[in-house]
Amino acid sequence: MSSQPSAKPEPAQAALPRFDAVVIGAGFSGLYALYRLRDVLGLDVRVYEAGDGVGGTWYWNRYPGARCDSESYYYSYSFSEELEQEWEWTSKYPEQPEILRYLEHVAERFDLRRDIRLGTRVSSASFDEASGDWEVRTDGGARVRARFLVSAVGCLSAANVPEIDGLDRFGGDWYHTGRWPHDGVDFAGKRVGLVGTGSTGIQAAPVIAAQADRLTVFQRTPNFTVPARDAPLAPEAWAEIKSNYREIRHRTRATRSGFPYIPVERSALDVSDRERQAIYEQLWEDGGFKFLWGSFSDLLNNQQANNTAAEFIRGKIREIVRDPEVAERLLPTTHPYGTKRPPIDTDYYETFNRENVELVDIRRSPIVEVTPGGIRTGDAEYPLDVIVFATGFDAMTGSLLRIDIRGPRGRSLAEKWAEGPKTYLGLQVAGFPNLFTITGPGSPSVLTNMPVSIEQHVEWISDCIEHVRRAGLTRIEALPEAEERWVRHVNRAASQTLLMQAESWYLGANIPGKTRVFMPYVGGLSDYRKICDKVSSDGYEGFELSA
Ligand code: N01
């Protein structure tokens, strides 16, 4: 009689290695969560990171032109004054390699690496009611358990490669910008197709155009972009920043968006046309996000006010782009300015004055298929050697839902979020005890300068865990009614703005079939911080704490 080889029995949960907390991801948020939970609270923490290095977004997004579009001195951690004083950025908007070096430096400086397992993707996590622990499994087959599970997976990490017929038969090479080869891509002598004109495509196009033989940009939605005006940071500028860091950080925490700009209270409609034009001109010259956050207070909630900024940028496009037909194709008309995440650029519109650059309007004539030799739209076939997809991400929920997360009684997060994400404060999900989501949906996150939001979340979460432990408790879970209330509040806040008017990834509109729900909280980081602080000082109102 033959017998089947019996599968090796899995060890009982009690025999698994156990941590106080498992953190998923070692980017900006995971690194700080590890520091805070391990070095401040003294917990036993394990971090799993899918990449072969730390850095998260800045590990994966190595595409040409990748740089931060918040200014370096405030797109950084504030938790360590020593770190602030010893690190110097070379320019206003650092390039990806420099930001990655910064995060690697942080990992070294705070001796974080010893608790991070690189090249290890968390495949599932399930809550065990009997022990009150999460059991976490990795793609390599490891199993561990932990009292707390902290998601630091990032809001923009699950790459979105469009399903286009024939891509598997393409004879050249294709890449997604969020999964860029570490050795780079040599575009010299190549005919390159770039699909997507969001922040990424807008950063990449000028750099690729300067290297490639030809660049064809496939544009579905024309975008508004404002010049970054990158420049090296002179030693005097540094001295000034370093001596003012406390004030700068204080300001980032006090503003709606986490930028240190002094908030403006004026309406775009309260000034004369001449004055308004002068303000926009000055901000266009200064460059960067100040154009949105430092111009007028009502660009995102008053259509007429918004029109003034939109029309100013359209005027700039007409001025910069020499061919009027190309300029016309570049004019954004489908959404108000700032309702898709606004990019900033270096010579984006100027790129369309180059002889070797072509703009294809795929809204008018969509891509039909990828052929072995290029891309075919309804109108024509464009011969290509390389295709670059700058087509974004399954934002805010994608990276979390790619993990099979199950709460008590096996209910999955995917089921719970089938109609869109529901959270309490973007920090916890009812029905998933002891799971925390750093910059989760329902928090200001992507509408802000991310490191400021990340620090606020990590600090709130670690204070909360400390509170639970000090009280001799073991479990904290958002109450369904508190979650419902918060979800209603998030929706109401979004509906009072123009942000609902764009087909944006904030709404999930970029992913076919994704439920449309406005995911980030638009009420502003400063007020959100006060709400979170009040919840904790009221004894974690809206959460159930138990042993
Ligand atoms: O992605 P996006 P991204 N066929 O989703 C188009 C952050 N970021 O990678 O607008 C054809 O914004 C899509 O068209 P449409 C930042 O938060 C930060 O550029 O949906 N085209 C759009 O043009 C940013 O917002 C930095 O009609 C398709 C583009 O691809 C976020 O990352 C730098 C398509 C995608 O734009 C994502 O930006 C860069 C299809 N099937 C990015 N699907 C910093 O510096 C999508 N598109 C910090």
PDB file of all heavy atoms in Angstrom, residues 58 63 67-69 156 160 162 177 195-201 203 220-221 340-341 362-363 390-393 503 505 510, ligand 1:
ATOM      1  N   TRP A  58      11.168  55.395  -1.197  1.00  0.00           N
ATOM      2  CA  TRP A  58      12.437  55.913  -1.727  1.00  0.00           C
ATOM      3  C   TRP A  58      13.401  54.806  -2.067  1.00  0.00           C
ATOM      4  O   TRP A  58      14.454  55.043  -2.660  1.00  0.00           O
ATOM      5  CB  TRP A  58      13.037  56.935  -0.750  1.00  0.00           C
ATOM      6  CG  TRP A  58      12.083  58.068  -0.596  1.00  0.00           C
ATOM      7  CD1 TRP A  58      11.277  58.318   0.474  1.00  0.00           C
ATOM      8  CD2 TRP A  58      11.770  59.068  -1.577  1.00  0.00           C
ATOM      9  NE1 TRP A  58      10.495  59.410   0.234  1.00  0.00           N
ATOM     10  CE2 TRP A  58      10.775  59.892  -1.015  1.00  0.00           C
ATOM     11  CE3 TRP A  58      12.236  59.353  -2.868  1.00  0.00           C
ATOM     12  CZ2 TRP A  58      10.234  60.980  -1.707  1.00  0.00           C
ATOM     13  CZ3 TRP A  58      11.701  60.433  -3.538  1.00  0.00           C
ATOM     14  CH2 TRP A  58      10.719  61.229  -2.961  1.00  0.00           C
ATOM     15  N   TYR A  63      13.068  56.026 -10.558  1.00  0.00           N
ATOM     16  CA  TYR A  63      12.916  56.429 -11.965  1.00  0.00           C
ATOM     17  C   TYR A  63      13.677  57.735 -12.222  1.00  0.00           C
ATOM     18  O   TYR A  63      13.959  58.500 -11.289  1.00  0.00           O
ATOM     19  CB  TYR A  63      11.419  56.582 -12.292  1.00  0.00           C
ATOM     20  CG  TYR A  63      10.703  57.599 -11.455  1.00  0.00           C
ATOM     21  CD1 TYR A  63      10.688  58.943 -11.808  1.00  0.00           C
ATOM     22  CD2 TYR A  63      10.047  57.228 -10.281  1.00  0.00           C
ATOM     23  CE1 TYR A  63      10.036  59.889 -11.022  1.00  0.00           C
ATOM     24  CE2 TYR A  63       9.393  58.169  -9.495  1.00  0.00           C
ATOM     25  CZ  TYR A  63       9.399  59.491  -9.870  1.00  0.00           C
ATOM     26  OH  TYR A  63       8.762  60.435  -9.091  1.00  0.00           O
ATOM     27  N   ARG A  67      12.472  62.854  -7.403  1.00  0.00           N
ATOM     28  CA  ARG A  67      12.929  63.707  -6.310  1.00  0.00           C
ATOM     29  C   ARG A  67      11.717  64.095  -5.476  1.00  0.00           C
ATOM     30  O   ARG A  67      10.579  63.928  -5.904  1.00  0.00           O
ATOM     31  CB  ARG A  67      13.665  64.939  -6.825  1.00  0.00           C
ATOM     32  CG  ARG A  67      12.823  65.854  -7.681  1.00  0.00           C
ATOM     33  CD  ARG A  67      13.524  67.172  -7.961  1.00  0.00           C
ATOM     34  NE  ARG A  67      14.612  67.087  -8.916  1.00  0.00           N
ATOM     35  CZ  ARG A  67      15.867  67.484  -8.650  1.00  0.00           C
ATOM     36  NH1 ARG A  67      16.181  67.963  -7.476  1.00  0.00           N
ATOM     37  NH2 ARG A  67      16.792  67.430  -9.579  1.00  0.00           N
ATOM     38  N   CYS A  68      12.022  64.625  -4.315  1.00  0.00           N
ATOM     39  CA  CYS A  68      10.951  64.989  -3.423  1.00  0.00           C
ATOM     40  C   CYS A  68      10.383  66.328  -3.852  1.00  0.00           C
ATOM     41  O   CYS A  68      11.128  67.208  -4.269  1.00  0.00           O
ATOM     42  CB  CYS A  68      11.521  65.109  -2.030  1.00  0.00           C
ATOM     43  SG  CYS A  68      10.259  65.457  -0.874  1.00  0.00           S
ATOM     44  N   ASP A  69       9.087  66.486  -3.739  1.00  0.00           N
ATOM     45  CA  ASP A  69       8.591  67.809  -4.083  1.00  0.00           C
ATOM     46  C   ASP A  69       8.115  68.602  -2.866  1.00  0.00           C
ATOM     47  O   ASP A  69       7.448  69.620  -2.999  1.00  0.00           O
ATOM     48  CB  ASP A  69       7.595  67.813  -5.261  1.00  0.00           C
ATOM     49  CG  ASP A  69       6.576  66.737  -5.159  1.00  0.00           C
ATOM     50  OD1 ASP A  69       6.379  66.262  -4.056  1.00  0.00           O
ATOM     51  OD2 ASP A  69       5.969  66.393  -6.186  1.00  0.00           O
ATOM     52  N   LEU A 156       1.350  54.792  -1.089  1.00  0.00           N
ATOM     53  CA  LEU A 156       1.542  54.733  -2.542  1.00  0.00           C
ATOM     54  C   LEU A 156       2.613  53.704  -2.852  1.00  0.00           C
ATOM     55  O   LEU A 156       3.725  54.043  -3.273  1.00  0.00           O
ATOM     56  CB  LEU A 156       1.943  56.123  -3.063  1.00  0.00           C
ATOM     57  CG  LEU A 156       0.851  57.188  -2.903  1.00  0.00           C
ATOM     58  CD1 LEU A 156       1.434  58.583  -2.865  1.00  0.00           C
ATOM     59  CD2 LEU A 156      -0.169  57.079  -4.024  1.00  0.00           C
ATOM     60  N   ASN A 160       0.446  50.271  -9.988  1.00  0.00           N
ATOM     61  CA  ASN A 160      -0.694  50.045 -10.878  1.00  0.00           C
ATOM     62  C   ASN A 160      -0.187  49.958 -12.323  1.00  0.00           C
ATOM     63  O   ASN A 160       0.130  50.974 -12.933  1.00  0.00           O
ATOM     64  CB  ASN A 160      -1.679  51.208 -10.736  1.00  0.00           C
ATOM     65  CG  ASN A 160      -2.734  51.210 -11.831  1.00  0.00           C
ATOM     66  OD1 ASN A 160      -3.259  50.164 -12.201  1.00  0.00           O
ATOM     67  ND2 ASN A 160      -3.042  52.388 -12.354  1.00  0.00           N
ATOM     68  N   PRO A 162      -1.356  49.191 -15.935  1.00  0.00           N
ATOM     69  CA  PRO A 162      -2.643  49.004 -16.611  1.00  0.00           C
ATOM     70  C   PRO A 162      -2.676  47.705 -17.407  1.00  0.00           C
ATOM     71  O   PRO A 162      -1.643  47.267 -17.933  1.00  0.00           O
ATOM     72  CB  PRO A 162      -2.731  50.211 -17.538  1.00  0.00           C
ATOM     73  CG  PRO A 162      -1.461  50.947 -17.460  1.00  0.00           C
ATOM     74  CD  PRO A 162      -0.616  50.360 -16.388  1.00  0.00           C
ATOM     75  N   THR A 177       7.384  52.878 -12.990  1.00  0.00           N
ATOM     76  CA  THR A 177       8.299  53.783 -12.285  1.00  0.00           C
ATOM     77  C   THR A 177       8.493  53.410 -10.808  1.00  0.00           C
ATOM     78  O   THR A 177       9.549  53.685 -10.241  1.00  0.00           O
ATOM     79  CB  THR A 177       7.760  55.227 -12.350  1.00  0.00           C
ATOM     80  OG1 THR A 177       6.370  55.201 -11.978  1.00  0.00           O
ATOM     81  CG2 THR A 177       7.908  55.808 -13.740  1.00  0.00           C
ATOM     82  N   VAL A 195       3.767  56.518 -20.427  1.00  0.00           N
ATOM     83  CA  VAL A 195       2.313  56.546 -20.217  1.00  0.00           C
ATOM     84  C   VAL A 195       2.055  57.127 -18.834  1.00  0.00           C
ATOM     85  O   VAL A 195       2.522  56.585 -17.831  1.00  0.00           O
ATOM     86  CB  VAL A 195       1.713  55.117 -20.301  1.00  0.00           C
ATOM     87  CG1 VAL A 195       0.182  55.185 -20.175  1.00  0.00           C
ATOM     88  CG2 VAL A 195       2.133  54.422 -21.587  1.00  0.00           C
ATOM     89  N   GLY A 196       1.323  58.229 -18.776  1.00  0.00           N
ATOM     90  CA  GLY A 196       0.985  58.815 -17.478  1.00  0.00           C
ATOM     91  C   GLY A 196       1.618  60.175 -17.290  1.00  0.00           C
ATOM     92  O   GLY A 196       2.823  60.352 -17.534  1.00  0.00           O
ATOM     93  N   THR A 197       0.808  61.114 -16.852  1.00  0.00           N
ATOM     94  CA  THR A 197       1.281  62.485 -16.635  1.00  0.00           C
ATOM     95  C   THR A 197       0.846  62.978 -15.254  1.00  0.00           C
ATOM     96  O   THR A 197       0.326  64.095 -15.112  1.00  0.00           O
ATOM     97  CB  THR A 197       0.770  63.423 -17.751  1.00  0.00           C
ATOM     98  OG1 THR A 197      -0.651  63.280 -17.848  1.00  0.00           O
ATOM     99  CG2 THR A 197       1.398  63.117 -19.087  1.00  0.00           C
ATOM    100  N   GLY A 198       1.035  62.118 -14.240  1.00  0.00           N
ATOM    101  CA  GLY A 198       0.874  62.551 -12.851  1.00  0.00           C
ATOM    102  C   GLY A 198       2.213  63.108 -12.371  1.00  0.00           C
ATOM    103  O   GLY A 198       3.105  63.430 -13.175  1.00  0.00           O
ATOM    104  N   SER A 199       2.382  63.211 -11.051  1.00  0.00           N
ATOM    105  CA  SER A 199       3.628  63.772 -10.500  1.00  0.00           C
ATOM    106  C   SER A 199       4.855  63.035 -11.039  1.00  0.00           C
ATOM    107  O   SER A 199       5.888  63.647 -11.331  1.00  0.00           O
ATOM    108  CB  SER A 199       3.645  63.647  -8.981  1.00  0.00           C
ATOM    109  OG  SER A 199       2.536  64.272  -8.433  1.00  0.00           O
ATOM    110  N   THR A 200       4.727  61.719 -11.167  1.00  0.00           N
ATOM    111  CA  THR A 200       5.874  60.915 -11.594  1.00  0.00           C
ATOM    112  C   THR A 200       6.217  61.165 -13.056  1.00  0.00           C
ATOM    113  O   THR A 200       7.372  61.462 -13.399  1.00  0.00           O
ATOM    114  CB  THR A 200       5.565  59.415 -11.374  1.00  0.00           C
ATOM    115  OG1 THR A 200       5.278  59.209  -9.993  1.00  0.00           O
ATOM    116  CG2 THR A 200       6.721  58.541 -11.803  1.00  0.00           C
ATOM    117  N   GLY A 201       5.211  61.045 -13.931  1.00  0.00           N
ATOM    118  CA  GLY A 201       5.457  61.246 -15.360  1.00  0.00           C
ATOM    119  C   GLY A 201       6.011  62.642 -15.622  1.00  0.00           C
ATOM    120  O   GLY A 201       6.894  62.837 -16.464  1.00  0.00           O
ATOM    121  N   GLN A 203       7.797  64.449 -13.581  1.00  0.00           N
ATOM    122  CA  GLN A 203       9.218  64.516 -13.192  1.00  0.00           C
ATOM    123  C   GLN A 203      10.094  63.774 -14.206  1.00  0.00           C
ATOM    124  O   GLN A 203      11.213  64.194 -14.500  1.00  0.00           O
ATOM    125  CB  GLN A 203       9.434  63.860 -11.818  1.00  0.00           C
ATOM    126  CG  GLN A 203       8.949  64.700 -10.648  1.00  0.00           C
ATOM    127  CD  GLN A 203       9.290  64.061  -9.305  1.00  0.00           C
ATOM    128  OE1 GLN A 203       9.475  62.848  -9.194  1.00  0.00           O
ATOM    129  NE2 GLN A 203       9.379  64.878  -8.269  1.00  0.00           N
ATOM    130  N   ARG A 220      -3.489  60.936 -20.753  1.00  0.00           N
ATOM    131  CA  ARG A 220      -4.943  60.733 -20.652  1.00  0.00           C
ATOM    132  C   ARG A 220      -5.619  61.984 -20.096  1.00  0.00           C
ATOM    133  O   ARG A 220      -6.645  62.402 -20.580  1.00  0.00           O
ATOM    134  CB  ARG A 220      -5.233  59.515 -19.769  1.00  0.00           C
ATOM    135  CG  ARG A 220      -6.683  59.114 -19.788  1.00  0.00           C
ATOM    136  CD  ARG A 220      -6.898  57.726 -19.268  1.00  0.00           C
ATOM    137  NE  ARG A 220      -6.714  57.636 -17.825  1.00  0.00           N
ATOM    138  CZ  ARG A 220      -6.881  56.521 -17.137  1.00  0.00           C
ATOM    139  NH1 ARG A 220      -7.209  55.401 -17.753  1.00  0.00           N
ATOM    140  NH2 ARG A 220      -6.698  56.499 -15.835  1.00  0.00           N
ATOM    141  N   THR A 221      -4.981  62.559 -19.053  1.00  0.00           N
ATOM    142  CA  THR A 221      -5.553  63.779 -18.464  1.00  0.00           C
ATOM    143  C   THR A 221      -4.463  64.833 -18.346  1.00  0.00           C
ATOM    144  O   THR A 221      -3.478  64.628 -17.630  1.00  0.00           O
ATOM    145  CB  THR A 221      -6.120  63.495 -17.060  1.00  0.00           C
ATOM    146  OG1 THR A 221      -7.017  62.389 -17.144  1.00  0.00           O
ATOM    147  CG2 THR A 221      -6.864  64.699 -16.514  1.00  0.00           C
ATOM    148  N   LYS A 340      -6.556  67.007  -8.240  1.00  0.00           N
ATOM    149  CA  LYS A 340      -5.678  65.850  -8.340  1.00  0.00           C
ATOM    150  C   LYS A 340      -4.431  66.303  -7.626  1.00  0.00           C
ATOM    151  O   LYS A 340      -4.121  67.489  -7.638  1.00  0.00           O
ATOM    152  CB  LYS A 340      -5.318  65.536  -9.795  1.00  0.00           C
ATOM    153  CG  LYS A 340      -6.383  64.739 -10.526  1.00  0.00           C
ATOM    154  CD  LYS A 340      -5.968  64.631 -11.973  1.00  0.00           C
ATOM    155  CE  LYS A 340      -6.933  63.797 -12.770  1.00  0.00           C
ATOM    156  NZ  LYS A 340      -6.606  62.371 -12.809  1.00  0.00           N
ATOM    157  N   ARG A 341      -3.675  65.411  -7.034  1.00  0.00           N
ATOM    158  CA  ARG A 341      -2.501  65.818  -6.273  1.00  0.00           C
ATOM    159  C   ARG A 341      -1.603  66.666  -7.174  1.00  0.00           C
ATOM    160  O   ARG A 341      -1.153  66.207  -8.232  1.00  0.00           O
ATOM    161  CB  ARG A 341      -1.790  64.552  -5.779  1.00  0.00           C
ATOM    162  CG  ARG A 341      -0.843  64.748  -4.612  1.00  0.00           C
ATOM    163  CD  ARG A 341       0.433  65.408  -5.029  1.00  0.00           C
ATOM    164  NE  ARG A 341       1.514  65.012  -4.153  1.00  0.00           N
ATOM    165  CZ  ARG A 341       2.776  65.222  -4.442  1.00  0.00           C
ATOM    166  NH1 ARG A 341       3.113  65.804  -5.579  1.00  0.00           N
ATOM    167  NH2 ARG A 341       3.703  64.863  -3.619  1.00  0.00           N
ATOM    168  N   ILE A 362      -4.438  60.482 -25.460  1.00  0.00           N
ATOM    169  CA  ILE A 362      -5.117  59.177 -25.484  1.00  0.00           C
ATOM    170  C   ILE A 362      -6.521  59.241 -24.865  1.00  0.00           C
ATOM    171  O   ILE A 362      -7.173  58.215 -24.746  1.00  0.00           O
ATOM    172  CB  ILE A 362      -4.275  58.060 -24.811  1.00  0.00           C
ATOM    173  CG1 ILE A 362      -3.875  58.447 -23.384  1.00  0.00           C
ATOM    174  CG2 ILE A 362      -3.083  57.686 -25.668  1.00  0.00           C
ATOM    175  CD1 ILE A 362      -3.288  57.293 -22.594  1.00  0.00           C
ATOM    176  N   ARG A 363      -6.946  60.440 -24.504  1.00  0.00           N
ATOM    177  CA  ARG A 363      -8.363  60.550 -24.140  1.00  0.00           C
ATOM    178  C   ARG A 363      -9.184  60.632 -25.436  1.00  0.00           C
ATOM    179  O   ARG A 363     -10.207  59.991 -25.578  1.00  0.00           O
ATOM    180  CB  ARG A 363      -8.619  61.792 -23.287  1.00  0.00           C
ATOM    181  CG  ARG A 363     -10.047  61.866 -22.788  1.00  0.00           C
ATOM    182  CD  ARG A 363     -10.195  62.935 -21.746  1.00  0.00           C
ATOM    183  NE  ARG A 363      -9.409  62.663 -20.557  1.00  0.00           N
ATOM    184  CZ  ARG A 363      -9.839  61.941 -19.509  1.00  0.00           C
ATOM    185  NH1 ARG A 363     -11.034  61.409 -19.534  1.00  0.00           N
ATOM    186  NH2 ARG A 363      -9.069  61.758 -18.461  1.00  0.00           N
ATOM    187  N   ALA A 390       4.146  55.341 -15.964  1.00  0.00           N
ATOM    188  CA  ALA A 390       4.106  56.228 -14.784  1.00  0.00           C
ATOM    189  C   ALA A 390       2.640  56.322 -14.398  1.00  0.00           C
ATOM    190  O   ALA A 390       2.062  57.402 -14.325  1.00  0.00           O
ATOM    191  CB  ALA A 390       4.684  57.594 -15.145  1.00  0.00           C
ATOM    192  N   THR A 391       2.047  55.163 -14.182  1.00  0.00           N
ATOM    193  CA  THR A 391       0.591  55.061 -14.060  1.00  0.00           C
ATOM    194  C   THR A 391       0.126  54.937 -12.618  1.00  0.00           C
ATOM    195  O   THR A 391      -1.018  54.552 -12.371  1.00  0.00           O
ATOM    196  CB  THR A 391       0.087  53.879 -14.908  1.00  0.00           C
ATOM    197  OG1 THR A 391       0.992  52.774 -14.725  1.00  0.00           O
ATOM    198  CG2 THR A 391       0.020  54.233 -16.360  1.00  0.00           C
ATOM    199  N   GLY A 392       1.016  55.231 -11.692  1.00  0.00           N
ATOM    200  CA  GLY A 392       0.581  55.396 -10.311  1.00  0.00           C
ATOM    201  C   GLY A 392       0.360  54.116  -9.535  1.00  0.00           C
ATOM    202  O   GLY A 392       0.922  53.055  -9.862  1.00  0.00           O
ATOM    203  N   PHE A 393      -0.503  54.224  -8.540  1.00  0.00           N
ATOM    204  CA  PHE A 393      -0.608  53.172  -7.517  1.00  0.00           C
ATOM    205  C   PHE A 393      -2.065  52.897  -7.158  1.00  0.00           C
ATOM    206  O   PHE A 393      -2.919  53.772  -7.314  1.00  0.00           O
ATOM    207  CB  PHE A 393       0.129  53.635  -6.253  1.00  0.00           C
ATOM    208  CG  PHE A 393       1.568  53.962  -6.519  1.00  0.00           C
ATOM    209  CD1 PHE A 393       1.942  55.256  -6.884  1.00  0.00           C
ATOM    210  CD2 PHE A 393       2.544  52.977  -6.456  1.00  0.00           C
ATOM    211  CE1 PHE A 393       3.274  55.560  -7.170  1.00  0.00           C
ATOM    212  CE2 PHE A 393       3.875  53.278  -6.742  1.00  0.00           C
ATOM    213  CZ  PHE A 393       4.231  54.571  -7.100  1.00  0.00           C
ATOM    214  N   GLU A 503     -11.310  62.995 -11.108  1.00  0.00           N
ATOM    215  CA  GLU A 503     -11.168  61.541 -11.165  1.00  0.00           C
ATOM    216  C   GLU A 503      -9.769  61.220 -10.632  1.00  0.00           C
ATOM    217  O   GLU A 503      -8.855  60.956 -11.405  1.00  0.00           O
ATOM    218  CB  GLU A 503     -11.258  61.077 -12.621  1.00  0.00           C
ATOM    219  CG  GLU A 503     -12.569  61.364 -13.283  1.00  0.00           C
ATOM    220  CD  GLU A 503     -13.584  60.286 -12.947  1.00  0.00           C
ATOM    221  OE1 GLU A 503     -13.447  59.172 -13.453  1.00  0.00           O
ATOM    222  OE2 GLU A 503     -14.501  60.564 -12.146  1.00  0.00           O
ATOM    223  N   TRP A 505      -6.780  59.591  -7.724  1.00  0.00           N
ATOM    224  CA  TRP A 505      -6.505  58.394  -6.924  1.00  0.00           C
ATOM    225  C   TRP A 505      -6.939  58.589  -5.476  1.00  0.00           C
ATOM    226  O   TRP A 505      -7.103  57.622  -4.750  1.00  0.00           O
ATOM    227  CB  TRP A 505      -5.058  57.938  -7.042  1.00  0.00           C
ATOM    228  CG  TRP A 505      -3.971  58.910  -6.666  1.00  0.00           C
ATOM    229  CD1 TRP A 505      -3.154  59.588  -7.518  1.00  0.00           C
ATOM    230  CD2 TRP A 505      -3.544  59.279  -5.341  1.00  0.00           C
ATOM    231  NE1 TRP A 505      -2.264  60.371  -6.824  1.00  0.00           N
ATOM    232  CE2 TRP A 505      -2.472  60.194  -5.478  1.00  0.00           C
ATOM    233  CE3 TRP A 505      -3.952  58.932  -4.060  1.00  0.00           C
ATOM    234  CZ2 TRP A 505      -1.816  60.766  -4.381  1.00  0.00           C
ATOM    235  CZ3 TRP A 505      -3.298  59.494  -2.967  1.00  0.00           C
ATOM    236  CH2 TRP A 505      -2.249  60.395  -3.138  1.00  0.00           C
ATOM    237  N   ASN A 510      -8.561  55.860 -10.237  1.00  0.00           N
ATOM    238  CA  ASN A 510      -7.547  55.401 -11.202  1.00  0.00           C
ATOM    239  C   ASN A 510      -7.511  53.884 -11.340  1.00  0.00           C
ATOM    240  O   ASN A 510      -6.851  53.350 -12.223  1.00  0.00           O
ATOM    241  CB  ASN A 510      -6.150  55.897 -10.788  1.00  0.00           C
ATOM    242  CG  ASN A 510      -5.713  55.349  -9.439  1.00  0.00           C
ATOM    243  OD1 ASN A 510      -6.540  55.112  -8.558  1.00  0.00           O
ATOM    244  ND2 ASN A 510      -4.432  55.133  -9.265  1.00  0.00           N
TER     245      ASN A 510
HETATM  246  O1  N01 B   1       0.572  58.503 -10.312  1.00  0.00           O
HETATM  247  P1  N01 B   1      -0.792  59.274 -10.625  1.00  0.00           P
HETATM  248  P2  N01 B   1       2.030  59.101 -10.034  1.00  0.00           P
HETATM  249  N1  N01 B   1      -3.939  54.400 -19.328  1.00  0.00           N
HETATM  250  O2  N01 B   1      -1.864  58.290 -10.279  1.00  0.00           O
HETATM  251  C1  N01 B   1      -2.295  57.861 -15.992  1.00  0.00           C
HETATM  252  C2  N01 B   1       3.315  60.753  -5.213  1.00  0.00           C
HETATM  253  N2  N01 B   1       4.542  61.220  -5.811  1.00  0.00           N
HETATM  254  O3  N01 B   1       2.952  57.972  -9.876  1.00  0.00           O
HETATM  255  O4  N01 B   1      -5.091  61.244 -14.697  1.00  0.00           O
HETATM  256  C3  N01 B   1      -3.393  55.609 -19.520  1.00  0.00           C
HETATM  257  O5  N01 B   1      -0.836  60.586 -10.014  1.00  0.00           O
HETATM  258  C4  N01 B   1      -3.155  58.807 -15.198  1.00  0.00           C
HETATM  259  O6  N01 B   1      -4.141  59.374 -16.012  1.00  0.00           O
HETATM  260  P3  N01 B   1      -5.493  59.950 -15.344  1.00  0.00           P
HETATM  261  C5  N01 B   1       2.284  61.862  -5.297  1.00  0.00           C
HETATM  262  O7  N01 B   1       1.479  61.843  -4.165  1.00  0.00           O
HETATM  263  C6  N01 B   1       5.313  62.004  -5.035  1.00  0.00           C
HETATM  264  O8  N01 B   1       2.358  60.151 -11.027  1.00  0.00           O
HETATM  265  O9  N01 B   1      -5.937  58.919 -14.330  1.00  0.00           O
HETATM  266  N3  N01 B   1      -2.993  56.421 -18.535  1.00  0.00           N
HETATM  267  C7  N01 B   1      -2.114  59.786 -14.707  1.00  0.00           C
HETATM  268  O10 N01 B   1      -1.774  60.707 -15.695  1.00  0.00           O
HETATM  269  C8  N01 B   1       1.535  61.450  -6.520  1.00  0.00           C
HETATM  270  O11 N01 B   1       0.264  61.998  -6.662  1.00  0.00           O
HETATM  271  C9  N01 B   1       6.473  62.476  -5.530  1.00  0.00           C
HETATM  272  O12 N01 B   1      -6.422  60.102 -16.472  1.00  0.00           O
HETATM  273  C10 N01 B   1      -3.173  55.986 -17.293  1.00  0.00           C
HETATM  274  C11 N01 B   1      -0.921  58.881 -14.441  1.00  0.00           C
HETATM  275  O13 N01 B   1      -1.086  57.732 -15.250  1.00  0.00           O
HETATM  276  C12 N01 B   1       1.512  59.958  -6.348  1.00  0.00           C
HETATM  277  O14 N01 B   1       2.820  59.651  -5.911  1.00  0.00           O
HETATM  278  C13 N01 B   1       6.857  62.209  -6.837  1.00  0.00           C
HETATM  279  C14 N01 B   1      -3.735  54.729 -17.006  1.00  0.00           C
HETATM  280  C15 N01 B   1      -0.843  58.406 -13.021  1.00  0.00           C
HETATM  281  O15 N01 B   1      -0.717  59.491 -12.179  1.00  0.00           O
HETATM  282  C16 N01 B   1       1.229  59.185  -7.595  1.00  0.00           C
HETATM  283  O16 N01 B   1       1.861  59.835  -8.681  1.00  0.00           O
HETATM  284  C17 N01 B   1       6.049  61.417  -7.609  1.00  0.00           C
HETATM  285  C18 N01 B   1      -4.139  53.930 -18.096  1.00  0.00           C
HETATM  286  N4  N01 B   1      -4.716  52.745 -17.912  1.00  0.00           N
HETATM  287  C19 N01 B   1       4.896  60.917  -7.090  1.00  0.00           C
HETATM  288  N5  N01 B   1      -3.772  54.574 -15.674  1.00  0.00           N
HETATM  289  C20 N01 B   1       7.311  63.295  -4.634  1.00  0.00           C
HETATM  290  O17 N01 B   1       8.129  63.994  -5.091  1.00  0.00           O
HETATM  291  C21 N01 B   1      -3.249  55.699 -15.151  1.00  0.00           C
HETATM  292  N6  N01 B   1      -2.897  56.546 -16.128  1.00  0.00           N
HETATM  293  C22 N01 B   1       7.151  63.244  -3.162  1.00  0.00           C
END
